[in-house]
Amino acid sequence: MAAKDLSKIKKAMGPVGLVTPAEAQAGAQAPNPDMEWKVQGGAARIWLGAQNKGLVRPVLLADGFNMGPTDFDWLWEELDGDPFRFLTELRERGQDVVLIGFDERSASILDNARVVTEIILRAIAERQGDQPLTVGGFSMGGLVTRYALAKLETERMDHQTALYLSFDSPHRGASVPISLQAIAHILAPINDAFSRQVNSPASRQLLWRHIETADDQPRVDPLRTEFLRALDRAGGWPQRPRKIGVANGVSDGRRNGIPPGVEALRCTGPYFKDTVLYTQAGGRDRIVAESRGLFGEKDIRTNDFPDIDGAPGGTLESFGILADALKDAGEGVDVAHRIVCFVPSVSAVAVRDVETNDDLYTDINALSPDESELDEFLCSSRATAHSAMTEQLGQWVIDRIAR
């Protein structure tokens, strides 16, 4: 390792994000909320519905996974920007928007569920009248609210919720390529933000397979096992509300355009020349990353994985975000594929696990609706980014909230 090269890239390279670029900021501020509630571990901001003088028809929506505290401006922009103003439409139909944020979005789902519980009880206490609540969330937020509602029921506490909703939530697991997880850890001596995000409690609970270091074999992380057991102890799902969900991926089993076992990203120097990250493919002893350059040579391998990067589902620009960060630090990078599947469609609508190609590429349209653990669901008509608010998905959700 050349000490001067390491020192140079340390100065040049900023943090790398997993879900979004690490230093991304909202383009505009959210409107001033009508109320704000602070609780231990988080907060809620409330925007009342049209003509409402107080909290009348509460719709509680929890933020998803990322690092650090919820950025309410970013969250508002994601849910109420082009192409569909989801929050504005909700309020115009008389619904009160309650956005739930967390002090640390990468904290344990079980811990952040306590924030949701406090906000649910506060909404019940401050609501005018007896209109039932709608409670749900985006991405990880759908799992946080699912667990919070189910646990309240096991404790015989009335959550007064008639509708639960999840928006591209990984009910059967999410995926970050093992190649990217490994590179995150390899880059930690330069900037450890990416590695810390991959190793955060929430990430370990969400990912179907995880590695803590670049030398590890992929496994179901013990924190995921603990979370799934806690969910089972709470009954798995809340039983009283009607349960609906949407997926950002398509329903007919079509690939998202990412072929298995091909180059996704190649570094051309000066720091990591000939480092290559591949899209995930099946088989034994499959090389998914070849790390070269500053930190020596290391090959990363998987065994018997499905072709999960190309599966139908909500996508993240995971390879693209890494490539952009490396380019900003002065590394030459060729990117053949920027996106990967993050939440497979079968996971978002809770019809199949994500461990085999047969399950990942299931034609959901051919299944009986009873095979889903949700009462009703909708998959996107086209491949879209994870948690992207489209008119098709957003309008479908609103029509079921504001019946």
Coordinates of all heavy atoms in Angstrom, one line a residue, residues 183-218:
I183 N -17.0 -4.5 -0.6 CA -16.3 -3.3 -0.9 C -16.5 -2.2 0.1 O -15.5 -1.5 0.5 CB -16.7 -2.8 -2.3 CG1 -16.2 -3.8 -3.4 CG2 -16.2 -1.4 -2.6 CD1 -14.7 -4.0 -3.5
A184 N -17.7 -2.2 0.7 CA -17.9 -1.2 1.8 C -16.9 -1.4 2.9 O -16.3 -0.5 3.5 CB -19.3 -1.3 2.3
H185 N -16.7 -2.7 3.3 CA -15.8 -3.0 4.4 C -14.3 -2.8 4.0 O -13.5 -2.3 4.8 CB -16.0 -4.4 4.9 CG -17.4 -4.7 5.3 ND1 -18.1 -3.8 6.0 CD2 -18.2 -5.8 5.1 CE1 -19.3 -4.3 6.3 NE2 -19.4 -5.5 5.7
I186 N -14.0 -3.1 2.7 CA -12.6 -2.9 2.2 C -12.3 -1.4 2.2 O -11.1 -1.0 2.5 CB -12.5 -3.5 0.8 CG1 -12.5 -5.0 0.9 CG2 -11.2 -3.0 0.2 CD1 -12.6 -5.8 -0.4
L187 N -13.3 -0.5 1.9 CA -13.0 0.9 1.9 C -13.0 1.6 3.2 O -12.8 2.8 3.3 CB -14.1 1.6 1.0 CG -14.0 1.2 -0.5 CD1 -15.2 1.9 -1.2 CD2 -12.7 1.7 -1.1
A188 N -13.4 0.8 4.3 CA -13.5 1.4 5.6 C -12.3 2.2 6.1 O -12.5 3.2 6.8 CB -13.9 0.3 6.6
P189 N -11.1 1.8 5.8 CA -9.9 2.6 6.3 C -9.9 4.0 5.6 O -9.2 4.9 6.1 CB -8.7 1.7 5.8 CG -9.2 0.3 5.8 CD -10.6 0.5 5.3
I190 N -10.6 4.1 4.5 CA -10.6 5.5 3.8 C -11.8 6.3 4.4 O -11.6 7.4 4.8 CB -10.8 5.3 2.3 CG1 -9.6 4.6 1.7 CG2 -11.0 6.6 1.6 CD1 -9.7 4.1 0.3
N191 N -12.9 5.7 4.4 CA -14.1 6.3 5.0 C -15.1 5.2 5.4 O -15.4 4.4 4.5 CB -14.8 7.3 4.0 CG -15.9 8.1 4.7 OD1 -16.8 7.6 5.3 ND2 -15.7 9.4 4.5
D192 N -15.4 5.1 6.6 CA -16.2 3.9 7.1 C -17.7 4.1 7.1 O -18.4 3.2 7.6 CB -15.7 3.5 8.5 CG -16.1 4.5 9.6 OD1 -16.6 5.6 9.2 OD2 -15.8 4.1 10.8
A193 N -18.2 5.2 6.5 CA -19.6 5.4 6.6 C -20.4 4.3 5.9 O -21.5 3.9 6.4 CB -19.9 6.8 5.9
F194 N -20.0 3.8 4.7 CA -20.6 2.8 4.0 C -20.7 1.5 4.8 O -21.7 0.8 4.9 CB -19.9 2.6 2.6 CG -20.7 1.8 1.6 CD1 -22.0 1.5 1.8 CD2 -20.1 1.4 0.4 CE1 -22.7 0.7 0.8 CE2 -20.7 0.7 -0.6 CZ -22.1 0.4 -0.4
S195 N -19.5 1.1 5.4 CA -19.4 -0.1 6.2 C -20.3 0.0 7.4 O -21.0 -1.0 7.8 CB -18.0 -0.3 6.6 OG -17.8 -1.4 7.4
R196 N -20.3 1.2 8.0 CA -21.2 1.3 9.2 C -22.7 1.2 8.9 O -23.5 0.6 9.7 CB -20.9 2.7 9.9 CG -19.6 2.7 10.7 CD -19.5 4.0 11.5 NE -19.3 5.2 10.6 CZ -20.2 6.1 10.4 NH1 -21.4 6.0 11.0 NH2 -20.0 7.1 9.7
Q197 N -23.1 1.7 7.7 CA -24.4 1.5 7.3 C -24.8 0.1 7.0 O -25.9 -0.4 7.5 CB -24.7 2.4 6.1 CG -26.2 2.5 5.8 CD -26.5 3.6 4.7 OE1 -25.6 4.2 4.1 NE2 -27.8 3.9 4.5
V198 N -23.9 -0.6 6.3 CA -24.2 -2.0 6.0 C -24.2 -2.8 7.3 O -25.0 -3.8 7.5 CB -23.0 -2.6 5.1 CG1 -23.1 -4.1 5.1 CG2 -23.1 -2.0 3.7
N199 N -23.4 -2.5 8.3 CA -23.4 -3.2 9.6 C -24.3 -2.7 10.7 O -24.3 -3.1 11.8 CB -22.0 -3.2 10.2 CG -21.1 -4.3 9.5 OD1 -21.6 -5.2 8.8 ND2 -19.8 -4.1 9.6
S200 N -25.2 -1.7 10.3 CA -26.1 -1.1 11.3 C -27.1 -2.2 11.7 O -27.4 -3.1 11.0 CB -26.8 0.1 10.7 OG -27.6 -0.3 9.7
P201 N -27.7 -2.0 12.9 CA -28.8 -3.0 13.3 C -29.9 -3.1 12.3 O -30.3 -4.3 12.0 CB -29.2 -2.4 14.7 CG -28.1 -1.6 15.2 CD -27.4 -1.0 14.0
A202 N -30.4 -2.0 11.8 CA -31.6 -2.2 10.9 C -31.1 -2.9 9.6 O -31.9 -3.7 9.1 CB -32.1 -0.8 10.5
S203 N -30.0 -2.6 9.1 CA -29.5 -3.3 7.9 C -29.4 -4.8 8.1 O -29.8 -5.6 7.3 CB -28.1 -2.7 7.5 OG -27.6 -3.4 6.4
R204 N -28.8 -5.2 9.2 CA -28.7 -6.6 9.6 C -30.0 -7.3 9.7 O -30.2 -8.5 9.4 CB -27.9 -6.8 10.9 CG -26.5 -6.3 10.8 CD -25.9 -6.3 12.3 NE -24.5 -5.8 12.3 CZ -23.4 -6.6 12.4 NH1 -23.6 -7.9 12.4 NH2 -22.2 -6.1 12.5
Q205 N -31.0 -6.5 10.1 CA -32.4 -7.1 10.3 C -33.1 -7.2 9.0 O -33.9 -8.1 8.8 CB -33.2 -6.2 11.3 CG -32.7 -6.3 12.7 CD -33.3 -5.2 13.6 OE1 -33.5 -4.1 13.2 NE2 -33.5 -5.6 14.9
L206 N -32.8 -6.3 8.0 CA -33.5 -6.2 6.8 C -33.0 -7.2 5.7 O -33.7 -7.8 4.9 CB -33.5 -4.8 6.2 CG -34.2 -3.7 6.9 CD1 -33.9 -2.4 6.4 CD2 -35.7 -3.9 6.9
L207 N -31.6 -7.3 5.7 CA -31.0 -8.0 4.6 C -31.2 -9.6 4.7 O -30.9 -10.1 5.8 CB -29.5 -7.7 4.5 CG -29.2 -6.2 4.2 CD1 -27.7 -6.0 4.2 CD2 -29.8 -5.8 2.9
W208 N -31.5 -10.2 3.6 CA -31.6 -11.7 3.6 C -30.3 -12.4 3.8 O -30.3 -13.4 4.4 CB -32.4 -12.1 2.3 CG -31.5 -12.3 1.2 CD1 -30.9 -11.4 0.4 CD2 -31.0 -13.6 0.6 NE1 -30.2 -11.9 -0.6 CE2 -30.2 -13.3 -0.5 CE3 -31.2 -14.9 1.0 CZ2 -29.6 -14.3 -1.3 CZ3 -30.6 -15.9 0.2 CH2 -29.8 -15.6 -0.9
R209 N -29.2 -11.7 3.4 CA -27.9 -12.2 3.6 C -26.9 -11.0 3.9 O -27.1 -10.0 3.3 CB -27.3 -13.1 2.5 CG -28.0 -14.4 2.2 CD -27.8 -15.4 3.3 NE -28.4 -16.7 3.0 CZ -29.6 -17.0 3.3 NH1 -30.4 -16.1 4.0 NH2 -30.1 -18.2 3.0
H210 N -26.0 -11.3 4.9 CA -25.2 -10.2 5.3 C -23.8 -10.7 5.6 O -23.6 -11.8 5.9 CB -25.8 -9.6 6.6 CG -24.9 -8.5 7.3 ND1 -24.0 -8.8 8.3 CD2 -24.9 -7.2 7.0 CE1 -23.4 -7.7 8.6 NE2 -23.9 -6.7 7.9
I211 N -22.8 -9.8 5.4 CA -21.4 -10.1 5.8 C -20.9 -8.9 6.7 O -21.1 -7.7 6.3 CB -20.4 -10.3 4.7 CG1 -20.4 -9.2 3.7 CG2 -20.7 -11.6 4.0 CD1 -19.3 -9.3 2.6
E212 N -20.3 -9.2 7.8 CA -19.8 -8.1 8.7 C -18.4 -7.6 8.3 O -18.1 -6.5 8.6 CB -19.8 -8.7 10.1 CG -19.4 -7.6 11.2 CD -19.6 -8.1 12.6 OE1 -20.0 -9.3 12.8 OE2 -19.3 -7.4 13.5
T213 N -17.6 -8.5 7.7 CA -16.3 -8.1 7.1 C -16.2 -8.7 5.8 O -16.9 -9.6 5.4 CB -15.2 -8.6 8.0 OG1 -15.0 -10.0 7.9 CG2 -15.4 -8.3 9.5
A214 N -15.2 -8.2 5.0 CA -14.9 -8.7 3.7 C -14.5 -10.2 3.7 O -14.6 -10.9 2.7 CB -13.9 -7.9 3.0
D215 N -14.0 -10.7 4.8 CA -13.6 -12.1 4.9 C -14.7 -13.0 5.3 O -14.5 -14.2 5.4 CB -12.4 -12.2 6.0 CG -11.2 -11.4 5.5 OD1 -10.9 -11.4 4.3 OD2 -10.6 -10.8 6.4
D216 N -15.9 -12.5 5.7 CA -17.0 -13.4 6.2 C -17.6 -14.1 5.0 O -17.6 -13.7 3.9 CB -18.0 -12.5 6.9 CG -17.6 -12.1 8.3 OD1 -16.5 -12.6 8.7 OD2 -18.2 -11.2 8.9
Q217 N -18.3 -15.2 5.4 CA -19.2 -15.9 4.5 C -20.6 -15.3 4.7 O -21.0 -15.1 5.9 CB -19.2 -17.4 4.9 CG -17.9 -18.1 4.5 CD -17.6 -18.1 3.1 OE1 -18.5 -18.4 2.2 NE2 -16.4 -17.7 2.7
P218 N -21.3 -15.1 3.6 CA -22.7 -14.6 3.8 C -23.5 -15.5 4.6 O -23.5 -16.7 4.6 CB -23.2 -14.5 2.3 CG -21.9 -14.5 1.5 CD -20.9 -15.3 2.2

